[in-house]
Amino acid sequence: LQQQLEAQFVQASELLSALGHRAERLAWLPLEDDGSARDALPREAALIARPRAEPVGGKRERLNGTLDWLAAQGAPSGECHSLPAGPPFGAIEVDTERCTLCQGCVALCPTPALSGGDDTTPRLAFREADCIQCGLCAAGCPEQAITLAPGFLAAPERRETRVIKEEPAFACIRCGKPFATASTIASIQRKLADHPYFAGEARARLEMCEDCRVQDVWQELARDP
């Protein structure tokens, strides 16, 4: 337990420094303290009192609110700061050439850090303030396009949602319905290039939506049972 507390103390000290406060605002009280350290006068001037309010949102959102308040009282560096091992803060790096916008990472993300677009505008967006660096997105990416970038960004951009990749939807060559992205179709075509089910003219099925693909199969069976 003490090791966990010490790790949290070091992490909190680093966050304070990143937000423009002296780390001395925090003090570690040893177990053998006779009360003198606990009752000593503070070494730093008090911050403006934070208005009391009913808790809103989850634990992460409340933490972000506290960090925003500390940033408003300090002078954030505007830079990304490294933290001790295993911090629940950081970003991700995405190889946009490998990413096919399959949305697998969005489905795996336990927070709102990763978000996608819609059927007509596929995209991958990221909000660093919500990322807990769990690594599920990196582990579950079928293209191995994601790596974690731990650290704390002491800048307003941490709260902003940024688009990592976006591309037009791929339309079915038969009915015109958007059902995937061009990069997804290209990836599937590479992986199934030698599959007998998609040999010859049947290769066009890879560019059809699921409904048209089934219809094409049945029409071929009707022509040649």
Side-chain angles (χ1 to χ4, degrees), residues 40-128:
L41 293 174
R43 290 173 287 182
E44 298 290 325
L47 298 176
I48 298 174
R50 185 182 182 188
R52 284 188 170 274
E54 291 296 323
V56 178
K59 181 167 59 176
R60 182 72 177 196
E61 191 60 28
R62 294 197 296 273
L63 172 60
N64 284 330
T66 299
L67 293 173
D68 289 344
W69 178 76
L70 287 170
Q73 303 302 316
S77 68
E79 301 175 351
C80 185
H81 295 253
S82 60
L83 294 174
F89 302 99
I92 60 171
E93 295 177 354
V94 179
D95 185 339
T96 54
E97 294 297 320
R98 298 175 66 96
C99 174
T100 62
L101 293 176
C102 70
Q103 306 297 301
C105 56
V106 177
L108 290 170
C109 185
T111 76
L114 285 169
S115 57
D118 51 34
D119 291 338
T120 58
T121 311
R123 71 167 61 92
L124 177 63
F126 177 73
R127 184 173 185 260
E128 187 167 335

Side-chain angles (χ1 to χ4, degrees), residues 163-193:
V163 175
I164 296 176
K165 183 175 181 178
E166 182 178 61
E167 65 181 48
F170 187 91
C172 173
I173 59 175
R174 288 189 62 171
C175 70
K177 180 181 76 174
F179 72 102
T181 65
S183 53
T184 297
I185 297 301
S187 176
I188 293 174
Q189 287 175 330
R190 287 193 302 269
K191 293 176 180 178
L192 299 179

